[in-house]
Amino acid sequence: MKILRTRAASVSRQGLCTALLVASLTAAVGVSPPHNTAGADDSSPRPSDPQGKPHGVPNLALPDLAPKNPGNAGKPGGGTGGDAPDGNTGIPKTALAAYQNAARLAATQLPGCHIPWELIAGIGRVESVHAGGYGLRSDGSTEKPIRGPRLTGGQFAEIRDTDKGRWDGDTEYDRAVGPTQFIPSTWEMSGADGNGDGIKDPNNIFDAALGTAHYLCANNRDLNSSADLDKAVLSYNQSREYVTAVLAWMRTYQSGNVGTVPDNTPTTPHNPAGDTSGTGPTRPSPGTGSTTTPPSNKPSPGKQTPTPQKPTPKPKPDPQKPTPKPDPQKPDPQKPTPKPEPKPDPTKPIPSPVSRLERIGAAKWETTAGEVFEERASVKARDKTGKPVVGARVVFEIVGESTEARFLGGSKKVTATTLKDGIATSPSILAGATAGQFPLRATVEGKDGVTPIDFNATVKPAPAPHADKIERVGNECAEVQPNSPFTCKVVIQASKDGKAVAGIGMTATVASANGEKAVETGPYFKDKNGKPVRKFDLDKTDGNGQIELPEFFADNLSGAFTIRIVTTDDQVLLVHLKVLAPKPTQQPSTTPKT
């Protein structure tokens, strides 16, 4: 009975939590209850942009809000332990890398959008459960395609073919494709190259994640705004239930309640086409990371197992008859007929071993810290006769532990296959924050005798940030009584040519009313030991160019003061403060009562 009561209480708490989540999300973005359609606004799909029309069956299951390994989401190995997430609740390692990579690139390409990786992950979760069960590979591709239903009308939109079957394999009607279920015509507008391989492929989760960021950030949306956030998600699917599910998963990932899982974790694939037949839990094939269902050797229920028959005894030879000699012209029925040797296909080239690699392009690269190298490594594989080798696997590796440089996608080693011209090309490389040099090395997989090709990369220090203006964000501080804390927040904005500047250092000094002279009494900050200080070195401005002053206090001295803020560029800002005179103490009356 105790076990049943505990389980019932757990289910009750989960249901209550889910209900509270739906209510909170509804309040947060103005979302009405499920089953209501969206109103007509700028989030409605345009004729050239049908993404928001019904294009498949999303997974609208809400997350279980029972705490599971908080703080592990987005961390390597997160989600391990007694409540480890499975393939249906955790985020596969490569999917997480794709979402975070997309948000990082969007922060540079679309700085005013402020899209969090958790929102992209919410879309990926609802559209395909992060490509789980489709054989997600470390390069972002999937072993099996993820396709929605044929958009022939009826339950779904009617969209005639727009890509000649390039992405969805259908030359008559379009189908949504990939981990975030893009319609081909929408991908034509919002498609992106998230892994830097020069191809925009909606079936690759790195490209799909960045394309999702571009799509959600369209129309100059700022996703810090709840109204813009609501419009963005509605533009992906005109359903309030869809908005609720996506934002529920986004908030869950932001809370750290869901951890990472290996790419080949067994899971039940979500089929956006709506066909659930044959989608039982899948398990990885040995050594490939693929997901296939193992065959069963058990007899089907209701069928009788056939009774094994006794072998028919061979007739004994007649000793009176001579044994016939085998005819060499006729095949012996007792011996298996040998299979003919396969003839080579004259239309297909015979693969040739790689004899050498040749560098394509410059041998030395250079960029500044935090930037993407313009160059990409390319090599040509040749055989001993000098002919290009097709289908050779070339390994590109960033060598050395001191560099923070990584291929877009987060890895230091990738493998590319040579094309018909014998050339293989690496993805783009993002330089780390630390200056220095490192080699990028190209080798042939399985051919130790082929001389490697090195590309020498240099990362220059990023130039010091400069601001030509600092200003106060918000209102002036209120007046306070002596020996009281100032209750206002002081936020400083740094900019250059009207654009926010990150990394600007500042110093705050308590000064006289005109800001010309530092004071030794009056308002003060507190150091790490809680002692009063009147000069304080602030942290550097964040990605939005802002910094908030720490809490400050008034002592027993009344009057007008300022906080004089000076940047490393000698930009000056005065924040005016006022400490009121103490209230007079009311003296007790000496008049005798009558």
Side-chain angles (χ1 to χ4, degrees):
M1 288 297 294
K2 182 177 180 180
I3 294 175
L4 291 175
R5 286 195 300 269
T6 302
R7 185 172 299 174
S10 175
V11 172
S12 177
R13 285 195 301 271
Q14 179 179 341
L16 177 61
C17 289
T18 301
L20 291 174
L21 173 65
V22 174
S24 66
L25 291 173
T26 300
V29 297
V31 177
S32 58
H35 304 297
N36 291 345
T37 56
D41 56 21
D42 65 359
S43 67
S44 300
R46 301 179 295 277
S48 60
D49 176 14
Q51 189 69 29
K53 296 179 180 179
H55 58 264
V57 180
N59 187 322
L60 300 179
L62 295 177
D64 179 359
L65 297 186
K68 292 184 178 181
N69 303 296
N72 286 338
K75 296 181 180 180
T80 59
D83 288 328
D86 58 23
N88 295 315
T89 58
I91 303 179
K93 182 180 179 181
T94 296
L96 176 63
Y99 301 144
Q100 293 178 334
N101 178 66
R104 182 170 58 249
L105 293 176
T108 300
Q109 299 169 3
L110 306 162
C113 180
H114 307 108
I115 187 168
W117 71 261
E118 293 90 347
L119 174 59
I120 306 172
I123 296 288
R125 177 57 174 77
V126 172
E127 292 291 354
S128 70
V129 192
H130 311 303
Y134 287 90
L136 182 62
R137 303 183 180 105
S138 60
D139 65 356
S141 63
T142 57
E143 182 181 334
K144 295 179 287 187
I146 308 173
R147 292 175 181 167
R150 300 185 79 210
L151 299 177
T152 59
Q155 179 184 357
F156 305 106
E158 180 181 352
I159 304 176
R160 295 281 178 174
D161 175 62
T162 60
D163 67 335
K164 297 181 180 179
R166 178 187 181 189
W167 301 122
D168 57 11
D170 194 322
T171 58
E172 186 177 3
Y173 290 94
D174 270 349
R175 303 175 70 174
V177 295
T180 57
Q181 287 292 280
F182 267 102
I183 295 174
S185 57
T186 304
W187 182 255
E188 185 66 26
M189 295 184 295
S190 301
D193 179 13
N195 59 4
D197 63 357
I199 302 172
K200 299 177 181 180
D201 183 357
N203 295 295
N204 185 291
I205 198 167
F206 285 100
D207 295 355
L210 184 57
T212 298
H214 285 188
Y215 184 83
L216 294 173
C217 291
N219 300 321
N220 297 315
R221 295 189 184 105
D222 180 356
L223 300 187
N224 280 342
S225 161
S226 59
D228 278 3
L229 178 63
D230 183 39
K231 291 176 181 178
V233 181
L234 276 174
S235 72
Y236 219 96
N237 190 311
Q238 292 280 300
S239 162
R240 291 298 183 180
E241 288 180 296
Y242 185 89
V243 173
T244 298
V246 168
L247 296 185
W249 283 104
M250 180 188 77
R251 306 296 186 205
T252 299
Y253 297 144
Q254 289 175 332
S255 72
N257 260 1
V258 178
T260 58
V261 296
D263 293 340
N264 60 355
T265 300
T267 185
T268 301
H270 170 66
N271 190 339
D275 179 14
T276 58
S277 61
T279 56
T282 59
R283 298 189 178 276
S285 299
T288 63
S290 63
T291 53
T292 55
T293 305
S296 174
N297 293 323
K298 295 181 180 180
S300 301
K303 294 184 178 181
Q304 295 181 353
T305 303
T307 303
Q309 298 179 354
K310 295 182 179 180
T312 303
K314 294 182 180 181
K316 295 182 180 180
D318 188 346
Q320 301 298 326
K321 294 182 180 181
T323 303
K325 295 182 179 181
D327 186 347
Q329 301 299 324
K330 295 181 180 181
D332 187 347
Q334 301 298 326
K335 295 182 180 180
T337 304
K339 295 182 179 179
E341 293 291 332
K343 296 181 180 180
D345 186 347
T347 64
K348 295 183 179 180
I350 300 174
S352 302
V354 178
S355 176
R356 69 180 188 275
L357 291 177
E358 294 178 358
R359 180 186 295 108
I360 305 293
K364 295 183 178 181
W365 306 350
E366 192 174 86
T367 193
T368 55
E371 299 292 331
V372 176
F373 283 92
E374 292 184 2
E375 302 86 351
R376 292 163 58 197
S378 291
V379 294
K380 175 175 281 191
R382 294 187 183 274
D383 63 14
K384 61 183 179 180
T385 67
K387 294 181 179 179
V389 178
V390 182
R393 291 173 60 82
V394 177
V395 179
F396 294 97
E397 182 176 7
I398 298 171
V399 181
E401 296 297 328
S402 59
T403 180
E404 299 171 4
R406 296 291 186 272
F407 291 107
L408 293 184
S411 65
K412 294 184 68 174
K413 180 188 291 188
V414 297
T415 301
T417 303
T418 57
L419 303 178
K420 61 182 179 181
D421 55 4
I423 295 177
T425 303
S426 76
S428 298
I429 295 177
L430 175 66
T434 304
Q437 296 181 333
F438 65 90
L440 171 63
R441 183 162 298 158
T443 57
V444 179
E445 187 177 73
K447 296 284 288 186
D448 296 336
V450 177
T451 303
I453 297 292
D454 280 354
F455 298 82
N456 298 309
T458 299
V459 180
K460 300 183 298 183
H466 294 283
D468 57 18
K469 183 179 181 181
I470 57 173
E471 57 187 332
R472 172 82 184 279
V473 178
N475 299 323
E476 292 291 329
C477 283
E479 301 170 340
V480 299
Q481 293 291 327
N483 300 311
S484 302
F486 286 86
T487 57
C488 61
K489 288 185 177 181
V490 177
V491 178
I492 309 300
Q493 174 76 56
S495 61
K496 180 176 175 60
D497 299 329
K499 296 182 180 180
V501 181
I504 298 295
M506 303 182 190
T507 300
T509 304
V510 180
S512 56
N514 59 9
E516 294 181 357
K517 183 180 179 181
V519 298
E520 296 182 358
T521 56
Y524 61 90
F525 301 101
K526 289 183 179 180
D527 64 13
K528 61 182 180 180
N529 298 317
K531 294 183 179 180
V533 292
R534 292 180 173 83
K535 186 174 183 179
F536 199 89
D537 290 330
L538 304 175
D539 293 331
K540 295 182 179 180
T541 53
D542 60 17
N544 296 318
Q546 295 184 354
I547 182 67
E548 180 179 334
L549 268 63
E551 188 178 18
F552 49 97
F553 308 83
D555 63 5
N556 58 3
L557 185 65
S558 303
F561 302 90
T562 59
I563 297 179
R564 188 171 188 267
I565 299 172
V566 183
T567 71
T568 52
D569 295 321
D570 293 328
Q571 300 295 321
V572 179
L573 175 68
L574 299 180
V575 178
H576 295 276
L577 307 176
K578 187 174 183 180
V579 181
L580 300 174
K583 293 180 180 180
T585 304
Q586 186 175 1
Q587 299 293 330
S589 175
T590 58
T591 304
K593 295 181 180 181
T594 58

